Structure formats: structure tokens, C-alpha cells
Amino acid sequence: MEFFGVVGEKLPHTLSPIINKRIFELIEVDAAYKIFEVSKSDISNLGKALKLLKIKGANVTIPYKETVMEQLDYISKEAKDIGAVNTISLENGKLKGYNSDYFGFKKMLEINSIEVKDKVCVVLGTGGASKAIITFLKDSLVKELYIVTRSKDKELNIPSNIKVIDYKELEDIKGDVIINATPVGMYPNVGKSPVSKEIVENFNTLVDIIYNPKETEFLRLGKKLNKKICGGLYMLVGQAVKSEEIWQNKNIDIEVINTIYKELENRFA
Ligand code: NAP
């Protein structure tokens, strides 16, 4: 049997064990996936612990996605560009780091037939998820990329070819795809949108990476205006499947993503 898990500080609500155990069943791998809550004072020992216990793979979540990087023997290009690792793989005694959020976002766009190449894209929020998304959009050769923050004063470390704007400046932007990478509208604070109907009007496609609720207030506004809309559940399942592809060193059929998506869909109203 192989051993896997998710590493974070406090993980009372993580869905990772449910999703990864289901992937193991569907791809017929004999493995265990556990929750590892690690304190800030112990996280510097993570690499040694994974090697010692021969834990083949770990997902890493808040607040350790950046701090674990120094313990790894190799970091993939997308994780380096993003500046964060959420997947560690133990391969031949070496620890390798990847960022599967990047691939989960990519998979969600593909499944929903959302094109970003040569498009004008706007990302709301400047946190960890936003960094994975803007790295993917930049690699996808979008025409223009804006990132929207509440405060332009803070140090953001965003590549110079991406325009950082505030919500007032967003009022003058017309584009193709607008992506919510803020927690605004997430359960239990449902019924709130990060932008107004007037802003939504200026875009053709709305993507919200929040998956609970399934249809956020932001997406509801878009739906009312006949925009194309896409919620974040495919990204969640897609990133878990990408981590498994790395650990199992094989491609996993798209039907696995679709099956788990359908099973989880009913959890979120
Ligand atoms: P985060 O770091 O807590 O927040 C992201 C950014 O949103 C912040 O840096 C901030 O940017 C902005 N923000 C925060 N509170 C806000 C508010 N009240 N009003 C307006 N803007 C606000 O979160 P994250 O880890 O990047 O995740 C963001 C969301 O994506 C969460 O809801 C999370 O559950 C979801 N997510 C989904 C997936 C998936 O697989 N579907 C993966 C990762 C995350 P500024 O200060 O610059 O405005």
C-alpha cells in the first residue's frame, strides 16, 4: 500500500481525503490518504518526515505552500513561476514540488470550452489562487491581463507585463473573461458579489473559482445578463486529479473528473 496526505496547519473542512480516496477507487490503486495537521514550528521537518516514512505524495495547503519550497530537491516550472507548491512527490528518494492549481484551472476552462488565448482577461484578487491563475493565463498568451486589487499600495510581486488596477479603474475596462479569485460570495457569506452588474455587463464570460455555493452571486448576476458562467468545482477536482497523475505517473481518464464532479455537485447547493 502507498501513503499520501494533505499537509496544512488546521484542516477541519478539507475535501482532499474524500476526493483522493475516490480517485484511488476509480483508478484501482491500493493507497491511503490522510490529514496531516502540522504546526508552524514543525513544518521545517516535513521533508525529512516524508522521506523517513516513505510517504509517496502530499498536498500542501495554507499557510505552507511557499515555506515548504526550500525543503525540496526539484521545483517544476509552473510552481517556480507561481512561487508556491501544493503537490509534493517523493521520487527515488528526492522530493519534487509542483502546483496542481495551475492545471486544475486549465482543466476547468477546457471542460467548459472557455478560450483565453488572444482574449482580454481580468482576475479579481491577488492571493495564492490568483497567482496560479495569472501564471496560467500568461502562459496561455492572453491579449491583455488585468489583476484587480482593493489596494495598489501593497507590495504585490506581479510580473511587469500584467496591469494592476483597482476596482474604480475596472469600471473603464471592457473584456472577454472576468475571473473571481477572491473569497467574496463564498459560503457562509453567500449573496455577495465582488463586482456590480455594471462591471459584469462589460464581459462575455464569468468564471468563479469558488465552489461552495455552486452558483455564487457573481455568477447569478452573469446568468441574468445571459453571460457564459463557470463555477470552481471542476478546478477543485481537476487539481486533485493532476496531483494523482504526478504521483501515479500516468494520465487519468477525464471520466474520473466527471464522475467525482457529479458526486460532489450535490453537496453544494
Ligand atoms: P485569499 O488569499 O484569502 O484571498 C484572495 C484575494 O482576494 C486577497 O488577496 C484579496 O486581494 C482579495 N480579497 C480578500 N477578501 C476580500 C474582500 N472582502 N473583498 C474583496 N477582495 C477580497 O484566498 P485564496 O487562497 O487566493 O482563494 C480565493 C478563493 O478561491 C477562496 O474562496 C478559495 O476557496 C477559492 N479557491 C478555489 C480553488 C478551487 O480549486 N476551486 C482553489 C483555490 C482557492 P486584494 O487584497 O489585493 O484585494
Side-chain angles (χ1 to χ4, degrees):
M1 180 184 264
E2 294 173 342
F3 296 96
F4 300 88
V6 53
V7 176
E9 191 176 26
K10 297 262 183 305
L11 298 166
H13 304 298
T14 178
L15 288 169
S16 295
I18 294 172
I19 298 176
N20 286 277
K21 283 176 188 172
R22 193 68 183 109
I23 300 171
F24 292 138
E25 278 173 16
L26 293 167
I27 65 171
E28 299 180 353
V29 165
D30 184 22
Y33 189 103
K34 299 287 178 195
I35 292 174
F36 300 120
E37 288 190 343
V38 179
S39 67
K40 287 200 177 89
S41 57
D42 285 334
I43 196 66
S44 59
N45 295 316
L46 179 70
K48 271 180 265 168
L50 295 175
K51 284 180 178 171
L52 179 68
L53 299 173
K54 295 193 173 52
I55 292 177
K56 198 173 170 199
N59 287 124
V60 181
T61 188
I62 295 164
Y64 300 134
K65 288 184 184 189
E66 289 101 17
T67 49
V68 296
M69 291 174 84
E70 63 187 30
Q71 300 178 45
L72 307 178
D73 302 297
Y74 160 89
I75 296 172
S76 65
K77 181 179 182 307
E78 86 288 343
K80 251 185 226 160
D81 290 348
I82 294 163
V85 156
N86 79 334
T87 303
I88 299 176
S89 176
L90 180 59
E91 297 170 32
N92 303 320
K94 301 272 185 231
L95 291 174
K96 301 188 173 182
Y98 306 85
N99 193 305
S100 68
D101 281 339
Y102 176 102
F103 297 98
F105 183 74
K106 175 176 192 264
K107 188 58 83 183
M108 176 175 73
L109 296 190
E110 279 168 14
I111 290 171
N112 287 280
S113 306
I114 296 171
E115 269 292 334
V116 291
K117 186 168 185 276
D118 296 327
K119 305 283 185 199
V120 175
C121 299
V122 167
V123 180
L124 308 174
T126 60
S130 167
K131 290 209 175 87
I133 292 168
I134 61 170
T135 302
F136 171 74
L137 293 174
K138 213 163 56 68
D139 291 350
S140 305
L141 306 177
V142 296
K143 187 170 159 198
E144 280 174 71
L145 182 50
Y146 296 90
I147 181 159
V148 187
T149 177
R150 291 168 299 174
S151 155
K152 282 166 73 177
D153 300 338
K154 65 181 176 189
E155 183 84 18
L156 277 175
N157 206 9
I158 303 280
S160 56
N161 52 349
I162 298 172
K163 300 176 192 83
V164 180
I165 59 172
D166 59 26
Y167 283 86
K168 182 77 190 129
E169 291 168 297
L170 176 61
E171 291 172 10
D172 299 324
I173 310 288
K174 283 197 184 346
D176 299 291
V177 185
I178 181 165
I179 299 148
N180 179 31
T182 78
V184 179
M186 184 170 71
Y187 179 85
N189 297 312
V190 297
K192 291 196 184 119
S193 169
V195 291
S196 66
K197 187 169 125 259
E198 287 69 29
I199 302 277
V200 168
E201 200 108 55
N202 292 335
F203 295 86
N204 304 320
T205 302
L206 280 73
V207 177
D208 199 329
I209 66 164
I210 291 173
Y211 50 84
N212 185 14
K214 202 165 74 182
E215 190 177 297
T216 56
E217 179 64 15
F218 173 64
L219 295 184
R220 206 186 59 79
L221 286 177
K223 200 173 171 183
K224 267 175 64 182
L225 294 167
N226 290 320
K227 306 291 181 184
K228 179 165 185 157
I229 60 166
C230 166
L233 188 54
Y234 267 120
M235 177 174 172
L236 179 75
V237 182
Q239 62 79 29
V241 167
K242 180 65 191 185
S243 296
E244 291 289 350
E245 287 187 331
I246 292 165
W247 296 330
Q248 306 301 331
N249 195 24
K250 65 175 184 190
N251 290 329
I252 294 177
D253 197 280
I254 184 75
E255 270 319 303
V256 170
I257 296 187
N258 286 328
T259 302
I260 298 173
Y261 178 92
K262 283 189 200 114
E263 289 169 1
L264 286 179
E265 202 183 10
N266 302 324
R267 277 179 172 248
F268 308 115

